[in-house]
Amino acid sequence: MVNVRSYVRITEDKTEAWLYLCAPDDGTKYEKSEIMRYLQLKGVVAGINESHIAAMCNKQIYEREVKVASSVKGDPGREGWFEFFFNTEKPKPKINKDGTVDYRSMSLVQNVSEGDKLAVYHPAVQGTSGRDVTGAFEKANMYKELRPLTGKGIANTENPNEYYATKSGKIEYDGENKLSVVEVYEVQGGCDYANNALVEFNGDVIIHGNVEAGVTVHAGKSLTVEGVVESAMISAGGDVCLKRGMQGSGKGTISAGGNVFTEFLEYANIKAAGSIQSNVILNSRVESEDTVTLTGKKGLIAGGNVHAMMGITCQNVGNASEIKTGIHVGVLPELMEKRMEVSQEYGKLNAQLDEIVVSMARILRVRQQTGELSDQLKAHLEDLKEKKDEVYRKCMQLKKEADKLETQVMQAREAKIRISGNIYKGTIIAIDDHQMPIQKDTSFMEYSSQNGMIVGTVIVV
């Protein structure tokens, strides 16, 4: 019989059990089976280390605690996941060791060939239950399988977990479960007024040469030009990458629904819904709904006007000849006017919607009082229902637009201009509707708006 001074200590979290044995009163040795029964009596039924118990009995280990049981850990399992055999990160230019940016190595289009393996799905592994030393089961982790990938130009017929390209083209992945291979329109040479004066394609376009003056190029998605762009009209629904840059002669334009990446911009007009990144911007009119970033050794803005709603970062602004250069961040007056117009239109439609609902309520009260409606009132009620649905739909569209504009305005309140090099006289710093002409050459400054005033702070390099 186990000495009455012996005890079992179970930790508070029930993950361990410790045994303290005192020598038997009759001078004999304990048997392993006897100690096992004692542990069960004390509530320890799982994760028992029988070799420790055997050693305590054989070596007569008394009057000190020995760990004799540990919780049995379950397998945590893991979520299902996709392994992709292409780069899923957004394209960005390569930064060289010397700080210059290599736009020529950048590509907006990642091509695959028919038959290429695109992705493999690794199914979820369900967790298994663990047990504490008292035998209580821990809850096992359970995982749902991810949705299969869907899209055009892919197939998983041979193995439902393996996806292959059914044609050659550009790989597109939305970051969730849509994966497609789409066609890309490629112009092997350049574009001039005699050859390829008009290039239009609903998808991605790659031009392997120069785009000369007078040419019009429209891509429904991304556009990549490997040569120099002259005074051409460029537009794209997505990103634009000019690996060499644009010499626009004051007439060249770029309109992008996404970001613009380019080596240089000179005498050009640029408008982007996304960000704009370049090494040099000279005598150009540039507008971005996001940020403008000048990279490389020069990182220069000189001449013209550059606006970025969310902020501008560059190395140098202006030049020693005091060329007039405007840089502006924050909200343009046009955006404030548009926000007001949308808000007023939304208010009018809401009032119109209220009037329709009141008219419908009157007709419904007549039906409630008389039990029926005349044909004329029935027809009028149906017209009101259709009109209500139409006005409501327009209201929701305007509300969505109003919310977007409001978000842009609020985010633009934090916009800053950061110049980590020289700022020459002739530069005009502007934030929202405030301006600050630079009266003398300075450097290493960050400008922000505080209480309606432009405040400059020295950058510590």
Side-chain angles (χ1 to χ4, degrees):
M1 185 171 178
V2 177
N3 190 304
V4 294
R5 291 185 294 112
S6 301
Y7 65 83
V8 173
R9 180 175 64 85
I10 300 174
T11 58
E12 187 175 349
D13 59 5
K14 299 181 181 179
T15 59
E16 294 177 352
W18 296 75
L19 174 62
Y20 182 92
L21 279 180
C22 292
D25 291 331
D26 57 7
T28 61
K29 293 197 304 183
Y30 290 116
E31 295 294 329
K32 175 184 171 183
S33 59
E34 184 180 9
I35 300 303
M36 292 291 289
R37 286 193 300 272
Y38 179 71
L39 289 175
Q40 290 178 356
L41 182 66
K42 297 297 183 180
V44 180
V45 298
I48 298 173
N49 190 325
E50 295 187 22
S51 62
H52 281 192
I53 293 170
M56 290 181 74
C57 295
N58 294 332
K59 297 179 181 180
Q60 300 182 47
I61 300 173
Y62 302 137
E63 298 184 0
R64 68 183 179 92
E65 285 190 349
V66 176
K67 185 165 70 172
V68 294
S70 299
S71 59
V72 179
K73 299 295 183 183
D75 186 341
R78 60 166 172 77
E79 296 178 335
W81 61 285
F82 283 102
E83 179 183 8
F84 295 102
F85 298 93
F86 57 89
N87 187 5
T88 58
E89 295 181 0
K90 290 184 177 181
K92 55 185 178 180
K94 176 185 175 183
I95 301 177
N96 299 320
K97 291 182 179 179
D98 61 358
T100 58
V101 179
D102 182 9
Y103 290 95
R104 300 186 189 187
S105 65
M106 183 182 178
S107 177
L108 299 178
V109 176
Q110 189 174 177
N111 285 315
V112 296
S113 300
E114 182 179 350
D116 284 354
K117 182 187 284 189
L118 304 178
V120 170
Y121 179 63
H122 298 271
V125 176
Q126 304 304 329
T128 57
S129 297
R131 296 176 71 189
D132 64 27
V133 296
T134 67
F137 283 95
E138 300 172 351
K139 187 177 180 180
N141 294 327
M142 303 301 291
Y143 300 99
K144 291 182 179 180
E145 298 291 356
L146 298 182
R147 290 183 296 165
L149 296 175
T150 60
K152 298 178 181 179
I154 64 171
N156 60 336
T157 51
E158 293 186 9
N159 182 335
N161 290 331
E162 295 184 356
Y163 297 82
Y164 293 86
T166 59
K167 64 180 180 180
S168 299
K170 175 200 173 189
I171 190 76
E172 289 186 347
Y173 175 56
D174 69 351
E176 294 182 1
N177 79 311
K178 188 174 182 181
L179 178 67
S180 298
V181 178
V182 298
E183 292 182 2
V184 177
Y185 181 69
E186 297 190 56
V187 179
Q188 294 303 326
C191 299
D192 56 36
Y193 204 70
N195 299 291
N196 297 314
L198 175 62
V199 177
E200 286 188 291
F201 185 66
N202 288 332
D204 301 276
V205 175
I206 301 176
I207 299 174
H208 293 281
N210 298 331
V211 178
E212 298 184 9
V215 172
T216 298
V217 180
H218 174 72
K221 293 183 179 178
S222 72
L223 170 65
T224 302
V225 181
E226 296 188 349
V228 175
V229 179
E230 296 180 357
S231 55
M233 295 181 66
I234 302 293
S235 65
D239 294 346
V240 172
C241 178
L242 309 184
K243 294 191 177 184
R244 297 290 296 278
M246 184 178 212
Q247 214 302 338
S249 301
K251 298 179 181 178
T253 64
I254 297 175
S255 176
N259 306 312
V260 174
F261 304 92
T262 178
E263 181 77 21
F264 69 89
L265 295 169
E266 187 173 347
Y267 290 98
N269 300 281
I270 316 298
K271 198 166 187 177
S275 62
I276 298 173
Q277 187 170 329
S278 180
N279 281 334
V280 176
I281 297 177
L282 299 175
N283 298 301
S284 296
R285 183 175 181 82
V286 174
E287 289 186 22
S288 165
E289 293 182 19
D290 201 326
T291 59
V292 170
T293 304
L294 280 295
T295 53
K297 290 183 176 180
K298 292 184 178 179
L300 172 66
I301 300 173
N305 290 279
V306 175
H307 161 73
M309 190 180 300
M310 303 303 172
I312 294 175
T313 302
C314 61
Q315 302 286 334
N316 303 288
V317 178
N319 60 21
S321 300
E322 300 181 12
I323 185 172
K324 187 176 180 181
T325 306
I327 53 176
H328 177 275
V329 298
V331 181
L332 288 171
E334 301 93 274
L335 181 65
M336 298 302 288
E337 291 173 6
K338 186 177 180 181
R339 185 180 70 158
M340 184 174 292
E341 289 173 2
V342 170
S343 179
Q344 289 174 348
E345 184 64 24
Y346 178 65
K348 290 178 182 178
L349 284 176
N350 259 325
Q352 186 179 353
L353 190 62
D354 289 341
E355 291 176 4
I356 295 171
V357 171
V358 169
S359 298
M360 290 177 64
R362 289 196 190 104
I363 297 174
L364 293 173
R365 278 198 298 271
V366 171
R367 185 173 66 182
Q368 187 177 16
Q369 292 168 358
T370 63
E372 59 179 355
L373 292 174
S374 65
D375 292 342
Q376 184 179 0
L377 283 178
K378 286 180 181 178
H380 186 40
L381 182 61
E382 289 301 317
D383 290 341
L384 287 172
K385 286 180 179 178
E386 290 181 9
K387 193 171 182 180
K388 179 177 74 74
D389 292 341
E390 182 184 353
V391 173
Y392 179 77
R393 179 179 52 79
K394 289 180 179 179
C395 271
M396 291 301 99
Q397 290 175 346
L398 279 174
K399 185 178 185 306
K400 186 176 180 181
E401 186 177 359
D403 290 345
K404 179 183 176 183
L405 291 171
E406 189 64 30
T407 300
Q408 287 180 324
V409 169
M410 294 303 295
Q411 290 175 342
R413 299 291 186 203
E414 305 299 321
K416 296 178 181 179
I417 298 172
R418 183 181 177 88
I419 305 166
S420 55
N422 297 316
I423 311 163
Y424 291 94
K425 183 179 178 182
T427 299
I428 298 175
I429 302 293
I431 301 178
D432 295 332
D433 55 354
H434 303 286
Q435 291 188 352
M436 175 190 285
I438 301 300
Q439 303 293 347
K440 61 179 181 178
D441 295 351
T442 185
S443 58
F444 306 110
M445 295 293 292
E446 181 177 87
Y447 299 94
S448 61
S449 177
Q450 296 181 20
N451 299 320
M453 297 178 61
I454 298 176
V455 177
T457 307
V458 177
I459 298 172
V460 179
V461 180

